[in-house]
């Protein structure tokens, strides 16, 4: 842990993300133009692990900073209450109950259908079979199967809950359950196994390694077993749940989905990093909300057995 006082330039994460996605010359000009910024004295603490595959850290990750420029700074979550129900704030919902097809219908009523794809061409990368609740989406890594979600699904969200039932067929580090982002610089993701074989949530607007903030779970997920994974991004912290119980939390993560902007590349089973494997496993009951669930509501998702 290194702690020191220094002068820093404060720029919002969305603005910084735009700068980082430009070529060097353009980035310098854009940084100057975007700098409705000011110089202030900030306290910076650095504590992170080494990089793993796909560039993500092994531990909590990220330089712990007070991000006063975040879009969501000062945000107060609306009081949904513990009995708000599983439909309130629902952005998209894939039950995966179909038997075939090249798309997954969004049952939230918002029209956010997903397109199914195979990197090698054809339909060999995905199928449907018996899952945890009805049928599930089966993704085959060897053929590069994945689902592409609509862009910008959480573009304005300062709170979010993303949940699904997951069964991995092989333990391959950094395969993705889901990954929303622009590229390998601006993204957030959930993997069932990071470099230390734990489930991990990660988020960054400045690339991987020490620039990524995240949470690791407490134990590895066994192969060929169903487990419910949920990430809750709230106003005060981010919590990773496994099978309805908190598996890790981090109150020092300063980023939220809104800070990533209108992400164009939102995937199930595919990473923003080309070095990461496609998912080899099954996904069922995938849900995205624009609000932070309470622990009781996450437990309700875990207990859900169908309509």
């Amino acid at each position: 842990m290194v702690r020191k006082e220094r002068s820093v330039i404060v720029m919002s994460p969305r603005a910084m993300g735009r700068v980082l996605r430009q070529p060097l010359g353009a980035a310098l000009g854009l940084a100057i133009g975007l700098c409705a910024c000011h110089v202030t004295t900030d306290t910076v603490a650095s504590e992170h692990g080494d990089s793993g595959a796909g560039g993500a850290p092994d531990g909590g990750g990220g330089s712990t900073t007070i991000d006063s420029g975040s879009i969501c700074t000062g945000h107060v979550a609306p009081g949904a209450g513990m009995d708000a129900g599983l439909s309130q704030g629902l952005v998209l919902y894939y039950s995966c109950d179909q038997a075939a097809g090249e798309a997954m219908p969004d049952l939230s009523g918002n029209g956010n259908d997903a397109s199914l794809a195979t990197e090698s061409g054809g339909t060999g990368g995905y199928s449907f079979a018996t899952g945890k609740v009805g049928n599930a989406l089966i993704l085959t890594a060897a053929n590069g199967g994945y689902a592409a979600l609509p862009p910008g699904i959480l573009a304005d969200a300062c709170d979010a809950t993303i949940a699904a039932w997951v069964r991995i067929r092989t333990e391959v580090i950094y395969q993705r359950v889901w990954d929303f982002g622009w590229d390998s610089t601006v993204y957030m993701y959930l993997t069932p196994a990071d470099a230390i074989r734990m489930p991990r949530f990660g988020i960054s607007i400045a690339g991987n390694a020490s620039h990524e903030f995240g949470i690791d779970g407490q134990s590895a997920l066994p192969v060929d077993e169903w487990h419910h994974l949920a990430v809750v991004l709230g106003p005060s912290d981010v919590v990773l749940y496994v099978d309805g119980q908190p598996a890790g939390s981090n109150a020092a993560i300063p980023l939220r989905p809104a800070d990533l902007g209108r992400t164009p590349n939102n995937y199930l089973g595919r990473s923003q990093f080309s070095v990461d494997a496609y998912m080899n496993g099954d996904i069922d009951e995938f849900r995205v909300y624009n609000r932070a669930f309470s622990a009781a509501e996450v437990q309700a998702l875990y207990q859900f057995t169908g309509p």
Side-chain angles (χ1 to χ4, degrees):
M1 171 72 73
V2 178
R3 196 171 186 85
K4 60 184 179 179
E5 297 290 328
R6 69 182 182 186
S7 293
V8 298
I9 293 177
V10 177
M11 181 181 293
S12 78
R14 178 178 285 181
M16 182 62 76
R18 291 174 59 193
V19 171
L20 291 169
R21 290 193 295 273
Q22 303 296 320
L24 179 58
L28 292 174
L30 183 57
I32 295 171
L34 287 172
C35 211
C37 52
H38 60 279
V39 176
T40 184
T41 299
D42 199 1
T43 300
V44 179
S46 178
E47 184 176 16
H48 53 77
D50 297 329
S51 298
D58 295 343
S63 299
T64 304
T65 63
I66 299 171
D67 192 348
S68 58
S70 173
I71 292 170
C72 297
T73 298
H75 167 72
V76 177
M82 293 180 62
D83 58 349
L86 300 184
S87 62
Q88 183 170 329
L90 189 59
V91 174
L92 62 81
Y93 169 33
Y94 306 139
S95 68
C96 307
D97 281 340
Q98 65 209 78
E102 298 180 1
M104 288 193 300
D106 170 25
L107 302 185
S108 74
N110 295 319
N112 290 317
D113 297 351
S115 299
L116 296 169
T118 298
E119 188 66 22
S120 59
T123 60
Y126 59 85
S127 60
F128 294 89
T130 302
K132 181 64 179 181
V133 181
N135 276 356
L137 171 65
I138 314 301
L139 296 175
T140 305
N143 294 324
Y146 67 96
L149 283 57
I153 54 176
L154 288 173
D156 301 314
C158 287
D159 302 310
T161 299
I162 306 170
W165 281 99
V166 176
R167 177 170 61 184
I168 55 174
R169 301 285 184 169
T170 54
E171 186 188 67
V172 179
I173 62 172
Y174 290 109
Q175 61 180 321
R176 298 294 202 260
V177 177
W178 53 264
D179 194 325
F180 303 165
W182 292 81
D183 47 32
S184 57
T185 298
V186 179
Y187 58 82
M188 66 177 185
Y189 69 88
L190 178 66
T191 178
D194 63 3
I196 56 175
R197 267 61 182 182
M198 305 297 179
R200 176 181 174 82
F201 165 74
I203 185 169
S204 180
I205 56 163
N208 51 4
S210 62
H211 302 293
E212 181 182 294
F213 298 87
I215 307 169
D216 290 319
Q218 298 175 356
S219 59
L221 299 182
V223 172
D224 289 328
E225 290 185 8
W226 282 104
H227 292 278
H228 191 263
L229 303 179
V231 177
V232 177
L233 299 102
S236 59
D237 63 359
V238 180
V239 183
L240 171 64
Y241 288 84
V242 177
D243 293 334
Q245 300 298 321
S249 64
N250 190 343
I253 295 179
L255 301 174
R256 295 297 183 269
D259 294 312
L260 276 58
R262 193 173 187 272
T263 55
N265 303 321
N266 303 318
Y267 304 127
L268 298 183
R270 177 178 175 177
S271 172
Q272 307 292 332
F273 292 83
S274 60
V275 297
D276 292 332
Y278 286 81
M279 183 177 178
N280 201 49
D282 313 338
I283 298 175
D284 201 359
E285 290 293 310
F286 183 79
R287 298 170 182 253
V288 176
Y289 293 83
N290 61 10
R291 67 181 183 89
F293 267 34
S294 67
E297 289 174 316
V298 173
Q299 183 65 212
L301 281 179
Y302 172 63
Q303 297 291 342
F304 180 79
T305 57

